[in-house]
Amino acid sequence: MLKQIEGSHAMAEAIALCRPEVICAYPITPQTHIVEGVGELVKTGELENCEFINVESEFAALSVAIGASAAGARAYTATASQGLLFMAEAVYNAAGLGLPIVMTLGNRAIGAPINIWNDHSDAMSMRDAGWIQLFAETNQEAVDLHILAFRLAEELSMPVMVCVDGFILTHAFERVDVPDQAQVDAFLPPYDPVQVLDPENPASIGAMVGPEAFTEVRFLAHYKQQQALRLIPAFSQDFAKIFGRAAGGLLRPYRIEDAETIVVAMGSVCGTIKDVVDEMRDDGVKIGAVCIVSYRPFPVEELRQILSSAKDVVVVEKSIAVGVGGPLADNIDGALRNLDKPPKLHSAIAGLGGRPIMRASLRRLFQMAVESPWEGAHFLDLNEHVVGREIHRVRKTRRSGSTAENILRQLAMASELPPG
Amino acid sequence: MTEANTLPPDEAPQKLKYYQKGTFTVGNRLVSEDERAVQASQDRSNALTSGHRACQGCGEALGARYAIDAAMRATGADLIAVNATGCLEVFTTPYPETSWQLPWLHSLFGNAAAVATGVAAAMRVKKKNTRVVAQGGDGGTTDIGFQCLSGMFERNDDVLYICYDNEGYMNTGVQRSSATPPTARTATTPAMGPEPGNVFGTGKFVPKIAVAHNIPYVATATVADLHDLEHKVIKAMSIHGARYIQISVPCPLGWGAASCDTIKLARLAVECGLYPIFEAEHGRVTHARKIRRQVPVREYLKLQKRFAHLFRDGVDDPRILHLQAICDAHIAEYGLLSEDDELSGVPNGA
Ligand SMILES: Cc1ncc(C[n+]2csc(CCOP(=O)(O)OP(=O)(O)O)c2C)c(N)n1
Ligand code: SF4
């Protein structure tokens, strides 16, 4: 049904339609409205046969989901940022145990300095844990990806994280088509665990594994994610048949025919990027975009196919692997390795800690890629003045204080100065 | 169970008193079948089979086998166990071997209580009566897993949590935990400096903190009194909600004691007053295990290398008196000394 609805509530409704049996999450902005939403549906009885467990931390939240999932119940949790780091040990554990838990990640920066706004640092911190990571561009996609996530998780017996940009999606009121129960039931069969704690057929789950088997276990985890590269497109097609619209897929190309410059990004910024691509196309620039939906598994083959014909690839991403550059750019670099004539890669870090990514800035960036390409990571809209002042200050004196505070002070001073 | 009491009424067995040594010992053979220990039965579940890799004389292995078998009996083997990281997990399940004869899950060091909550929640939605036990060492319980444990208590989740208290992190090579007694030598509280061993004034006695959560049932037990241990586990399984049993399980390796002294040490810990054995229900202490004859704490300490520095050069360290004072305080607090060894109600003194 079409609704004008807050993203979080649309997701909560979609999650409820997937009939989770145990929900356990701990509040953190910007994820809160999602768990409040499902909590309400459980409390009112709209979501039947579901236990909503209130816990004392994110570590416990995912641990409860682990226990529930291993005991044969469909389990769901949600978190963001500091919460994800607080549950980090259990994140790896859920993947290692092969438990098909679905988690929503309301993407948010990680402190310090503490910052509640959106970027992708949290998702990146867990990118190698063994979870499938799907990124939503719109709230419609956020809704659809959750439904896909349960199917995928249970088919592969592997946890899936649905990443949604904090505030930009979670708190936005948009028109969303929230499916009905019959559609979801047609797409998502009941949870049939591949391993389960059952007194009738006792098994030990989570035994200690030594050097003689650990490599094989990790290989198989990797192998399973490779299977997902096949399953995600297949399930997306199934989805389209039942729901009448595409969902998921590994990635989405946009106006890449004859494109010499291709922009790659994930999440909600893809919308803005497409607008800029449209504008530049109107001006005759041969530019296109690729929006990655499945970050883990990483669609190496598909990216190679699409990007190999481009001259320049611009990666715009909302996170920074400090000391290296952009993690997504790094992955794309890896994917393009060994191509006969690989495109030149330009990496841009944008939107950290909620910094708005403006159309004009993107346009300047893409223009730069066409005209005077750069090496290394470019920080979009970096205030070079305050950064320069801070570097100078640090060089001058050891006791220069907190970087963030110094920068804010400089900004305040700058705003007091007369314009010009 | 069969009714084995075929003696004529006047020759019916007297009410049992379980003394652990000397002429007072009552062998299982002389006891009517329904009073026999779970372990005395040939058709016990054998939840933890032999062949695991615990050290000789490991109190934890013994405690776990008795506790889980008792829980199996109480639940008709409709039971799931969740295990924290630690010796018990490591010595029972080196892949591809497992010693567990019941569904068993290990996740992490600090989350056994929360994982068990999840299992219990799954059983509720699945409308199954399967019961849940969580278990871990004192480190996994009193330190790193304490937050999850407190959360589980506070929500009154239907889980029996069993802490096997060997008073240290044994799996990682005998480091101090918050359950390590003062003065004890561990790898992180070495017997060096002016006050060798673990310091006074730190640590926590989780059974008391569990009582403060007002959960339905809390008990301490010891591998020296296996009948009492079984009784408490069976009782705990007859109750729903959050329950906590902490079992004193000496560790020959970590304590520097002879493998054959495990039971003796467990008994001495109780009889000197260092390890009070009691039960509490809904926030009130209801019973305490009386001591017939208080043993000086010195007798207990002497048998263990972790306290050897207290007896250096044949001179008693004055801190032994400090430990003795702790024992005496427990005895007063729980009313442990009495002529009669029957379990008896004590005022809510704890
Ligand atoms: C988060 C984390 N920190 C540390 C460890 C290492 N570690 C494993 S078992 C253990 C100590 C276990 O002690 P305890 O819970 O008392 O059980 P015991 O081995 O004494 O039976 C430690 C420190 C770990 N596995 N995970
Ligand atoms: S170190 Fe201690 S607890 Fe661990 S197996 Fe050996 S005796 Fe048992």
Side-chain angles (χ1 to χ4, degrees):
Chain A
M1 192 173 54
L2 272 182
K3 290 182 181 176
Q4 186 71 17
I5 187 172
E6 193 200 41
S8 293
H9 279 111
M11 285 180 249
E13 289 189 20
I15 291 152
L17 290 171
C18 294
R19 303 182 188 275
E21 294 167 300
V22 175
I23 295 174
C24 186
Y26 192 81
I28 180 168
T29 305
Q31 154 269 67
T32 28
H33 289 185
I34 303 174
V35 276
E36 284 170 7
V38 278
E40 201 176 296
L41 294 172
V42 173
K43 198 81 180 179
T44 57
E46 218 164 309
L47 173 50
E48 293 171 342
N49 204 30
C50 177
E51 290 276 334
F52 185 95
I53 315 256
N54 284 294
V55 281
E56 70 290 346
S57 76
E58 286 87 356
F59 177 61
L62 185 52
S63 299
V64 167
I66 285 172
S69 184
R74 182 172 285 165
Y76 169 81
T77 189
T79 193
S81 179
Q82 320 290 138
L84 183 69
L85 293 205
F86 201 57
M87 62 166 66
E89 202 193 357
V91 171
Y92 270 75
N93 194 252
L97 291 174
L99 296 173
I101 296 162
V102 170
M103 165 154 72
T104 313
L105 187 66
N107 293 110
R108 162 180 155 182
I110 299 173
I114 189 161
N115 169 301
I116 60 167
W117 291 273
N118 167 246
D119 71 31
H120 290 168
S121 326
D122 49 5
M124 291 301 131
S125 77
M126 289 297 131
R127 66 193 172 143
D128 301 324
W131 287 57
I132 287 176
Q133 287 184 319
L134 307 174
F135 280 79
E137 180 182 331
T138 61
N139 272 325
Q140 184 65 61
E141 192 171 49
V143 160
D144 296 348
L145 284 182
H146 277 93
I147 300 164
L148 198 80
F150 279 103
R151 171 94 182 263
L152 194 60
E154 289 165 18
E155 176 73 23
L156 287 168
S157 207
M158 175 180 267
V160 179
M161 212 180 278
V162 181
C163 303
V164 293
D165 281 322
F167 294 112
I168 301 170
L169 294 182
T170 55
H171 287 58
F173 279 76
E174 285 187 329
R175 203 179 64 154
V176 177
D177 181 12
V178 179
D180 60 41
Q181 189 67 62
Q183 285 175 309
V184 176
D185 287 348
F187 179 76
L188 178 66
Y191 175 34
D192 177 18
V194 300
Q195 52 174 353
V196 66
L197 297 167
D198 176 10
E200 296 292 315
N201 187 13
S204 296
I205 303 178
M208 178 171 153
V209 165
E212 66 284 1
F214 197 78
T215 305
E216 285 67 21
V217 172
R218 296 304 281 169
F219 171 86
L220 290 170
H222 180 63
Y223 174 80
K224 252 208 291 190
Q225 283 234 350
Q226 302 294 308
Q227 303 302 298
L229 288 172
R230 191 173 45 76
L231 277 181
I232 293 170
F235 286 164
S236 303
Q237 281 183 5
D238 279 7
F239 190 94
K241 274 185 219 134
I242 294 171
F243 297 85
R245 63 174 169 271
L250 296 169
L251 44 76
R252 257 192 315 275
Y254 185 74
R255 302 192 76 170
I256 52 156
E257 69 287 349
D258 75 359
E260 291 174 358
T261 305
I262 296 181
V263 183
V264 187
M266 302 195 295
S268 60
V269 73
C270 288
T272 321
I273 289 173
K274 285 182 200 166
D275 284 350
V276 177
V277 164
D278 285 346
E279 286 173 19
M280 294 178 75
R281 278 274 178 187
D282 288 348
D283 296 346
V285 184
K286 290 183 173 171
I287 187 167
V290 172
C291 181
I292 296 181
V293 180
S294 168
Y295 180 58
R296 286 290 180 275
F298 197 59
V300 172
E301 261 319 304
E302 293 73 8
L303 279 166
R304 279 166 72 96
Q305 269 175 28
I306 291 176
L307 300 180
S308 59
S309 55
K311 264 184 21 211
D312 293 286
V313 170
V314 184
V315 182
V316 178
E317 61 186 307
K318 293 186 181 180
S319 64
I320 165 84
V322 179
V324 181
L328 176 60
D330 209 31
N331 285 159
I332 290 181
D333 203 12
L336 300 181
R337 196 189 305 151
N338 298 336
L339 277 182
D340 281 345
K341 261 188 71 197
K344 280 214 229 57
L345 194 73
H346 316 293
S347 153
I349 313 296
L352 297 188
R355 173 78 53 95
I357 303 179
M358 311 303 278
R359 282 219 307 265
S361 306
L362 285 177
R363 200 183 160 125
R364 264 198 307 277
L365 182 81
F366 302 161
Q367 205 69 45
M368 203 159 88
V370 178
E371 288 160 12
S372 54
W374 67 93
E375 302 265 324
H378 174 87
F379 285 69
L380 193 71
D381 294 339
L382 182 74
N383 188 331
E384 286 171 18
H385 174 69
V386 293
V387 170
R389 290 277 302 261
E390 180 61 15
I391 291 172
H392 179 68
R393 183 202 302 269
V394 173
R395 279 204 192 121
K396 242 175 33 193
T397 160
R398 254 184 81 75
R399 296 204 169 80
S400 52
S402 145
T403 306
E405 276 160 38
N406 288 341
I407 285 176
L408 288 174
R409 205 172 299 128
Q410 283 164 29
L411 288 173
M413 268 161 40
S415 68
E416 278 162 21
L417 294 174
Chain B
M1 221 176 293
T2 53
E3 185 50 71
N5 191 354
T6 50
L7 297 172
D10 51 333
E11 287 178 52
Q14 66 178 102
K15 188 153 176 19
L16 287 177
K17 292 186 175 203
Y18 284 96
Y19 302 142
Q20 291 293 324
K21 64 175 194 183
T23 52
F24 291 114
T25 305
V26 181
N28 266 306
R29 282 177 299 115
L30 304 178
V31 178
S32 71
E33 267 195 30
D34 56 354
E35 283 188 86
R36 283 184 198 173
V38 173
Q39 289 293 320
S41 152
Q42 282 195 339
D43 53 41
R44 67 178 185 270
S45 56
N46 234 347
L48 177 63
T49 55
S50 57
H52 55 67
R53 303 179 184 188
C55 309
Q56 255 186 31
C58 173
E60 188 161 273
L62 183 68
R65 181 158 67 91
Y66 274 73
I68 300 300
D69 269 340
M72 293 279 268
R73 163 145 322 168
T75 57
D78 197 5
L79 187 71
I80 291 173
V82 173
N83 211 130
T85 311
C87 266
L88 181 61
E89 165 257 333
V90 170
F91 73 65
T92 57
T93 63
Y95 182 83
E97 293 156 20
T98 178
S99 302
W100 298 101
Q101 301 295 306
L102 77 167
W104 178 95
L105 172 66
H106 163 248
S107 170
L108 293 166
F109 190 20
N111 69 356
V115 172
T117 294
V119 175
M123 291 308 114
R124 274 199 303 281
V125 288
K126 298 282 175 198
K127 314 227 166 6
K128 287 188 187 160
N129 295 321
T130 308
R131 307 295 301 279
V132 187
V133 173
Q135 49 183 356
D138 49 292
T141 306
T142 71
D143 293 332
I144 196 168
F146 186 66
Q147 179 177 306
C148 287
L149 183 72
S150 175
M152 182 208 109
F153 288 165
E154 176 267 325
R155 291 184 301 271
N156 199 23
D157 292 323
D158 192 12
V159 174
L160 166 62
Y161 191 104
I162 301 175
C163 169
Y164 301 105
D165 181 10
N166 55 21
E167 303 178 358
Y169 299 153
M170 299 319 181
N171 185 49
T172 36
V174 195
Q175 297 86 15
R176 173 201 176 275
S177 82
S178 60
T180 301
T183 76
R185 164 177 59 68
T186 69
T188 49
T189 56
M192 293 167 180
E195 294 205 338
N198 195 18
V199 289
F200 274 95
T202 59
K204 49 190 153 182
F205 187 49
V206 167
K208 238 173 143 169
I209 306 175
V211 173
H213 283 75
N214 286 335
I215 57 175
Y217 186 68
V218 175
T220 55
T222 155
V223 286
D225 192 344
L226 293 164
H227 209 85
D228 177 63
L229 164 58
E230 288 183 344
H231 163 79
K232 284 172 175 164
V233 171
I234 290 168
K235 178 167 174 183
M237 295 317 291
S238 74
I239 301 167
H240 283 268
R243 291 142 288 144
Y244 181 76
I245 297 182
Q246 183 166 306
I247 307 173
S248 166
V249 293
C251 161
L253 187 91
W255 294 16
S259 298
C260 57
D261 278 347
T262 298
I263 303 297
K264 186 175 181 184
L265 281 168
R267 188 174 62 249
L268 288 175
V270 175
E271 292 190 343
C272 69
L274 201 55
Y275 213 93
I277 302 297
F278 67 93
E279 285 180 293
E281 288 172 55
H282 300 287
R284 286 176 56 88
V285 174
T286 48
H287 290 101
R289 191 89 180 151
K290 303 287 176 176
I291 299 169
R292 274 192 305 147
R293 180 171 50 84
Q294 190 185 0
V295 174
V297 73
R298 200 176 178 282
E299 302 299 302
Y300 167 70
L301 304 172
K302 246 178 14 192
L303 293 172
Q304 307 170 54
K305 289 211 185 76
R306 65 174 171 159
F307 295 113
H309 52 279
L310 299 181
F311 304 98
R312 251 177 218 159
D313 308 324
V315 185
D316 277 16
D317 187 298
R319 289 179 302 159
I320 294 176
L321 290 176
H322 203 143
L323 283 167
Q324 186 62 53
I326 292 177
C327 298
D328 296 345
H330 283 158
I331 287 171
E333 180 176 354
Y334 294 95
L336 300 179
L337 265 182
S338 115
E339 293 298 295
D340 172 17
D341 84 326
E342 294 292 313
L343 290 174
S344 67
V346 291
N348 190 17

